[in-house]
Amino acid sequence: GAVVSQHPSWVICKSGTSVKIECRSLDFQATTMFWYRQFPKQSLMLMATSNEGSKATYEQGVEKDKFLINHASLTLSTLTVTSAHPEDSSFYICSATTGTNTGELFFGEGSRLTVL
Amino acid sequence: QKEVEQDPGPLSVPEGAIVSLNCTYSNSAFQYFMWYRQYSRKGPELLMYTYSSGNKEDGRFTAQVDKSSKYISLFIRDSQPSDSATYLCAMYYQGGKLIFGQGTELSVKP
């Protein structure tokens, strides 16, 4: 199946700093990428939908200025957590689709962010 | 009421048991149903993908959809310790968003 690579898998940062997480589709072109957040023993919460070359669409309650999403190419989307705080600590997961079928999402391995 | 309800478990079974995982949903517009498996600290991986009511089988896994009852199930036969993971149901309708259940944590004991 299609492979989605996410990097870094684990990051620890100080409060107030910014962290960038990359999501790459390795063997296919992803017209749409999604960013999720997952708390322990909770389901995936969709944060935003990212289409190549256009602005991301954020879900209600997700701060656009805190979670900057860029989808510069068909194989790369980035999530930048700006001025991170301890409450931003979470597991962030990206997924990608070719666009032919919304449900056939391919997920990255996830990135665990810990803000001290 | 959540659109998709899933018992979080945890569910513990002995090796070789038949496992039944379930989700109920409220939105009758949902057309496509998926089951994902997620190992600890990893991203979800797609297990089963079904459209419309009925059964779909893939090896030891069987996905069942009952649209009239708004109920979907995943059965695992001859469960193995390697099946220990969190199982998430997910569903969507054309043009809509993918909605996940909370996930059921499964532990298969040797």
PDB file of all heavy atoms in Angstrom, chain A residues 48-62:
ATOM      1  N   ALA A  48      -7.326  19.854  10.571  1.00  0.00           N
ATOM      2  CA  ALA A  48      -7.400  20.649   9.357  1.00  0.00           C
ATOM      3  C   ALA A  48      -7.234  19.761   8.135  1.00  0.00           C
ATOM      4  O   ALA A  48      -6.660  18.673   8.205  1.00  0.00           O
ATOM      5  CB  ALA A  48      -6.319  21.724   9.358  1.00  0.00           C
ATOM      6  N   THR A  49      -7.749  20.267   7.036  1.00  0.00           N
ATOM      7  CA  THR A  49      -7.619  19.611   5.742  1.00  0.00           C
ATOM      8  C   THR A  49      -6.761  20.490   4.857  1.00  0.00           C
ATOM      9  O   THR A  49      -7.000  21.707   4.758  1.00  0.00           O
ATOM     10  CB  THR A  49      -8.996  19.417   5.103  1.00  0.00           C
ATOM     11  OG1 THR A  49      -9.811  18.664   5.985  1.00  0.00           O
ATOM     12  CG2 THR A  49      -8.885  18.703   3.762  1.00  0.00           C
ATOM     13  N   SER A  50      -5.789  19.876   4.220  1.00  0.00           N
ATOM     14  CA  SER A  50      -4.813  20.635   3.456  1.00  0.00           C
ATOM     15  C   SER A  50      -4.799  20.179   2.002  1.00  0.00           C
ATOM     16  O   SER A  50      -4.602  19.005   1.733  1.00  0.00           O
ATOM     17  CB  SER A  50      -3.436  20.409   4.111  1.00  0.00           C
ATOM     18  OG  SER A  50      -2.401  20.812   3.279  1.00  0.00           O
ATOM     19  N   ASN A  51      -5.034  21.075   1.104  1.00  0.00           N
ATOM     20  CA  ASN A  51      -4.964  20.781  -0.326  1.00  0.00           C
ATOM     21  C   ASN A  51      -3.761  21.491  -0.934  1.00  0.00           C
ATOM     22  O   ASN A  51      -3.492  22.651  -0.595  1.00  0.00           O
ATOM     23  CB  ASN A  51      -6.232  21.240  -1.042  1.00  0.00           C
ATOM     24  CG  ASN A  51      -7.423  20.405  -0.646  1.00  0.00           C
ATOM     25  OD1 ASN A  51      -7.468  19.212  -0.899  1.00  0.00           O
ATOM     26  ND2 ASN A  51      -8.402  21.030  -0.014  1.00  0.00           N
ATOM     27  N   GLU A  52      -3.071  20.800  -1.788  1.00  0.00           N
ATOM     28  CA  GLU A  52      -1.858  21.345  -2.388  1.00  0.00           C
ATOM     29  C   GLU A  52      -2.110  22.676  -3.069  1.00  0.00           C
ATOM     30  O   GLU A  52      -3.054  22.805  -3.869  1.00  0.00           O
ATOM     31  CB  GLU A  52      -1.286  20.329  -3.390  1.00  0.00           C
ATOM     32  CG  GLU A  52       0.052  20.747  -3.980  1.00  0.00           C
ATOM     33  CD  GLU A  52      -0.084  21.414  -5.328  1.00  0.00           C
ATOM     34  OE1 GLU A  52      -1.120  21.220  -5.981  1.00  0.00           O
ATOM     35  OE2 GLU A  52       0.850  22.129  -5.730  1.00  0.00           O
ATOM     36  N   GLY A  53      -1.309  23.650  -2.701  1.00  0.00           N
ATOM     37  CA  GLY A  53      -1.369  24.957  -3.334  1.00  0.00           C
ATOM     38  C   GLY A  53      -2.445  25.880  -2.823  1.00  0.00           C
ATOM     39  O   GLY A  53      -2.588  27.001  -3.333  1.00  0.00           O
ATOM     40  N   SER A  54      -3.192  25.462  -1.836  1.00  0.00           N
ATOM     41  CA  SER A  54      -4.229  26.352  -1.309  1.00  0.00           C
ATOM     42  C   SER A  54      -4.177  26.377   0.204  1.00  0.00           C
ATOM     43  O   SER A  54      -3.502  25.556   0.827  1.00  0.00           O
ATOM     44  CB  SER A  54      -5.613  25.921  -1.804  1.00  0.00           C
ATOM     45  OG  SER A  54      -5.905  24.629  -1.366  1.00  0.00           O
ATOM     46  N   LYS A  55      -4.906  27.310   0.779  1.00  0.00           N
ATOM     47  CA  LYS A  55      -4.906  27.423   2.234  1.00  0.00           C
ATOM     48  C   LYS A  55      -5.626  26.246   2.869  1.00  0.00           C
ATOM     49  O   LYS A  55      -6.586  25.715   2.322  1.00  0.00           O
ATOM     50  CB  LYS A  55      -5.588  28.726   2.657  1.00  0.00           C
ATOM     51  CG  LYS A  55      -4.792  29.980   2.343  1.00  0.00           C
ATOM     52  CD  LYS A  55      -5.499  31.219   2.892  1.00  0.00           C
ATOM     53  CE  LYS A  55      -4.671  32.470   2.617  1.00  0.00           C
ATOM     54  NZ  LYS A  55      -5.329  33.683   3.169  1.00  0.00           N
ATOM     55  N   ALA A  56      -5.152  25.888   4.038  1.00  0.00           N
ATOM     56  CA  ALA A  56      -5.768  24.776   4.746  1.00  0.00           C
ATOM     57  C   ALA A  56      -7.137  25.188   5.285  1.00  0.00           C
ATOM     58  O   ALA A  56      -7.384  26.357   5.577  1.00  0.00           O
ATOM     59  CB  ALA A  56      -4.868  24.322   5.884  1.00  0.00           C
ATOM     60  N   THR A  57      -7.998  24.217   5.413  1.00  0.00           N
ATOM     61  CA  THR A  57      -9.314  24.424   6.019  1.00  0.00           C
ATOM     62  C   THR A  57      -9.279  23.858   7.432  1.00  0.00           C
ATOM     63  O   THR A  57      -9.053  22.659   7.617  1.00  0.00           O
ATOM     64  CB  THR A  57     -10.407  23.705   5.208  1.00  0.00           C
ATOM     65  OG1 THR A  57     -10.388  24.181   3.871  1.00  0.00           O
ATOM     66  CG2 THR A  57     -11.769  23.949   5.831  1.00  0.00           C
ATOM     67  N   TYR A  58      -9.492  24.721   8.394  1.00  0.00           N
ATOM     68  CA  TYR A  58      -9.381  24.316   9.783  1.00  0.00           C
ATOM     69  C   TYR A  58     -10.748  23.948  10.359  1.00  0.00           C
ATOM     70  O   TYR A  58     -11.763  24.545  10.008  1.00  0.00           O
ATOM     71  CB  TYR A  58      -8.771  25.456  10.614  1.00  0.00           C
ATOM     72  CG  TYR A  58      -7.311  25.685  10.327  1.00  0.00           C
ATOM     73  CD1 TYR A  58      -6.891  26.425   9.218  1.00  0.00           C
ATOM     74  CD2 TYR A  58      -6.332  25.150  11.160  1.00  0.00           C
ATOM     75  CE1 TYR A  58      -5.545  26.617   8.943  1.00  0.00           C
ATOM     76  CE2 TYR A  58      -4.978  25.356  10.900  1.00  0.00           C
ATOM     77  CZ  TYR A  58      -4.612  26.082   9.786  1.00  0.00           C
ATOM     78  OH  TYR A  58      -3.280  26.267   9.525  1.00  0.00           O
ATOM     79  N   GLU A  59     -10.718  22.993  11.265  1.00  0.00           N
ATOM     80  CA  GLU A  59     -11.944  22.615  11.961  1.00  0.00           C
ATOM     81  C   GLU A  59     -12.269  23.652  13.033  1.00  0.00           C
ATOM     82  O   GLU A  59     -11.392  24.381  13.518  1.00  0.00           O
ATOM     83  CB  GLU A  59     -11.795  21.241  12.582  1.00  0.00           C
ATOM     84  CG  GLU A  59     -11.638  20.129  11.561  1.00  0.00           C
ATOM     85  CD  GLU A  59     -12.823  20.012  10.627  1.00  0.00           C
ATOM     86  OE1 GLU A  59     -13.961  19.825  11.134  1.00  0.00           O
ATOM     87  OE2 GLU A  59     -12.626  20.120   9.399  1.00  0.00           O
ATOM     88  N   GLN A  60     -13.516  23.669  13.391  1.00  0.00           N
ATOM     89  CA  GLN A  60     -13.956  24.626  14.414  1.00  0.00           C
ATOM     90  C   GLN A  60     -13.192  24.387  15.710  1.00  0.00           C
ATOM     91  O   GLN A  60     -13.025  23.245  16.156  1.00  0.00           O
ATOM     92  CB  GLN A  60     -15.458  24.431  14.660  1.00  0.00           C
ATOM     93  CG  GLN A  60     -16.095  25.521  15.483  1.00  0.00           C
ATOM     94  CD  GLN A  60     -17.598  25.382  15.574  1.00  0.00           C
ATOM     95  OE1 GLN A  60     -18.167  24.385  15.117  1.00  0.00           O
ATOM     96  NE2 GLN A  60     -18.266  26.370  16.121  1.00  0.00           N
ATOM     97  N   GLY A  61     -12.733  25.472  16.269  1.00  0.00           N
ATOM     98  CA  GLY A  61     -12.017  25.377  17.533  1.00  0.00           C
ATOM     99  C   GLY A  61     -10.516  25.213  17.405  1.00  0.00           C
ATOM    100  O   GLY A  61      -9.806  25.248  18.409  1.00  0.00           O
ATOM    101  N   VAL A  62     -10.017  25.022  16.203  1.00  0.00           N
ATOM    102  CA  VAL A  62      -8.584  24.877  15.992  1.00  0.00           C
ATOM    103  C   VAL A  62      -8.012  26.232  15.599  1.00  0.00           C
ATOM    104  O   VAL A  62      -8.484  26.865  14.653  1.00  0.00           O
ATOM    105  CB  VAL A  62      -8.288  23.845  14.889  1.00  0.00           C
ATOM    106  CG1 VAL A  62      -6.787  23.751  14.644  1.00  0.00           C
ATOM    107  CG2 VAL A  62      -8.864  22.493  15.261  1.00  0.00           C
TER     108      VAL A  62
END
